[in-house]
Amino acid sequence: MAKMGSRKHLKRFKSPRHWPIPPKESKWTVKPSPGPHSMENSLPLLIIVRDILRVADTSKEAKKIINRGEIFIDGRPRKDYKFPVGFMDVVEIPKTGETYRVGLGEKGALTLQPIKEEDKNFKLCKIIKKTTLKGGKTQLNLHDGRNHTVDENFKVGDVIKLKIPQQEIIDSISFKEGNLGLVTGGKHTGEIGTIKKITITRSSMPNTVIIETQDKKSFMTLKDYVFVIGEKEPLIQLGG
């Protein structure tokens, strides 16, 4: 039994802090499947259905709902109750008409923000790496595990607006001074502000960004922690 539990389950006290489950309620919780997001940056679909959206009272009920294909992630039904759902993913329950986008709350906790019907057909994806392919095309590696082949010239750190589930690029936001950034790591996680200065170092020191919030407070964070979400106005709604 212990061996089986180690493969399919995770001890609750070892689960990431952002998971909304009481650590003492039971010994085991669901372990995410390998997928687009790492365990540290995602929530298993079962936890979303049972513990966050509360459309099921028990694991058994949640598994039935998921197995029937009633929960869509990024426009596609997902029947794996262990499927990892992460930042910027769109969660939809067509049966009830409810749609949410995964955002960031206090201390980096993943939250589900209700969104309008017209906003469910796109998501924002950050370019974390790019590779030149044969024929001169470029492959973009996105933060949610997707790979996208393009002809256009994008930079690492830029964000693309992706139509889902078709996965067509419909817009992009450059990582540059003057645009709006959401901090996704460090002590300022969840804060939004204008990118005032980007410092690129030519050494082992990390690249940094200075962000100015709406109330004119400024702070420095790592470049890798900044996710651009718009120019003058955010393209999505995050937070409360």
Side-chain angles (χ1 to χ4, degrees), residues 1 3 11 51 70 76 128 232:
M1 287 292 290
K3 201 169 185 181
K11 287 188 176 180
D51 300 292
E70 293 182 19
R76 299 186 187 280
I128 59 173
K232 300 302 180 183

Side-chain angles (χ1 to χ4, degrees), residues 131-220:
T131 309
T132 301
L133 305 175
K134 289 182 180 179
K137 290 198 172 186
T138 301
Q139 178 177 278
L140 306 178
N141 303 121
L142 308 179
H143 86 279
D144 66 349
R146 298 170 198 260
N147 296 322
H148 211 290
T149 303
V150 296
D151 294 314
E152 301 100 319
N153 183 28
F154 295 104
K155 295 179 181 178
V156 171
D158 289 352
V159 165
I160 59 174
K161 184 178 180 181
L162 204 62
K163 186 176 182 179
I164 53 175
Q166 295 88 344
Q167 301 198 54
E168 299 170 7
I169 297 176
I170 52 178
D171 202 355
S172 64
I173 317 163
S174 298
F175 181 84
K176 66 179 184 179
E177 293 173 4
N179 282 351
L180 294 175
L182 168 67
V183 182
T184 60
K187 66 179 182 179
H188 294 286
T189 298
E191 293 193 47
I192 296 173
T194 302
I195 299 172
K196 301 301 288 186
K197 184 178 181 181
I198 301 170
T199 301
I200 305 298
T201 63
R202 303 298 176 187
S203 66
S204 58
M205 297 296 289
N207 300 322
T208 59
V209 175
I210 292 177
I211 299 281
E212 183 181 86
T213 61
Q214 195 171 19
D215 56 6
K216 302 301 179 183
K217 291 181 181 178
S218 296
F219 60 85
M220 181 183 290

Side-chain angles (χ1 to χ4, degrees):
M1 287 292 290
K3 201 169 185 181
M4 184 198 254
S6 65
R7 287 199 306 266
K8 295 184 178 179
H9 299 83
L10 178 73
K11 287 188 176 180
R12 283 187 174 240
F13 73 87
K14 289 186 177 179
S15 63
R17 290 183 180 182
H18 66 263
W19 288 16
I21 51 175
K24 295 182 180 179
E25 188 175 287
S26 103
K27 187 175 180 180
W28 299 98
T29 187
V30 60
K31 185 177 183 179
S33 300
H37 301 278
S38 68
M39 183 174 75
E40 292 74 21
N41 297 307
S42 66
L43 289 163
L45 186 53
L46 184 143
I47 287 178
I48 287 178
V49 172
R50 183 193 63 194
D51 300 292
I52 299 180
L53 298 181
R54 299 184 184 277
V55 295
D57 294 323
T58 66
S59 294
K60 187 176 181 180
E61 289 177 7
K63 288 176 183 178
K64 284 183 178 179
I65 291 169
I66 294 166
N67 191 53
R68 289 197 296 262
E70 293 182 19
I71 310 296
F72 284 46
I73 307 298
D74 292 342
R76 299 186 187 280
R78 293 292 180 180
K79 297 184 179 183
D80 177 9
Y81 69 91
K82 296 176 289 182
F83 184 81
V85 182
F87 182 55
M88 289 291 174
D89 287 354
V90 174
V91 181
E92 182 187 2
I93 312 175
K95 205 170 183 179
T96 64
E98 297 171 81
T99 313
Y100 305 86
R101 194 181 305 281
V102 180
L104 288 173
E106 292 182 10
K107 298 180 180 179
L110 294 175
T111 61
L112 266 70
Q113 173 70 33
I115 58 175
K116 298 175 182 177
E117 176 76 15
E118 59 265 31
D119 290 342
K120 74 176 186 180
N121 298 318
F122 75 88
K123 69 180 295 189
L124 301 183
C125 295
K126 181 178 178 179
I127 301 169
I128 59 173
K129 185 180 177 182
K130 67 176 190 175
T131 309
T132 301
L133 305 175
K134 289 182 180 179
K137 290 198 172 186
T138 301
Q139 178 177 278
L140 306 178
N141 303 121
L142 308 179
H143 86 279
D144 66 349
R146 298 170 198 260
N147 296 322
H148 211 290
T149 303
V150 296
D151 294 314
E152 301 100 319
N153 183 28
F154 295 104
K155 295 179 181 178
V156 171
D158 289 352
V159 165
I160 59 174
K161 184 178 180 181
L162 204 62
K163 186 176 182 179
I164 53 175
Q166 295 88 344
Q167 301 198 54
E168 299 170 7
I169 297 176
I170 52 178
D171 202 355
S172 64
I173 317 163
S174 298
F175 181 84
K176 66 179 184 179
E177 293 173 4
N179 282 351
L180 294 175
L182 168 67
V183 182
T184 60
K187 66 179 182 179
H188 294 286
T189 298
E191 293 193 47
I192 296 173
T194 302
I195 299 172
K196 301 301 288 186
K197 184 178 181 181
I198 301 170
T199 301
I200 305 298
T201 63
R202 303 298 176 187
S203 66
S204 58
M205 297 296 289
N207 300 322
T208 59
V209 175
I210 292 177
I211 299 281
E212 183 181 86
T213 61
Q214 195 171 19
D215 56 6
K216 302 301 179 183
K217 291 181 181 178
S218 296
F219 60 85
M220 181 183 290
T221 189
L222 298 182
K223 174 180 178 288
D224 288 347
Y225 288 166
V226 180
F227 192 113
V228 287
I229 57 171
E231 296 182 352
K232 300 302 180 183
E233 297 290 336
L235 295 182
I236 54 172
Q237 182 182 358
L238 290 171

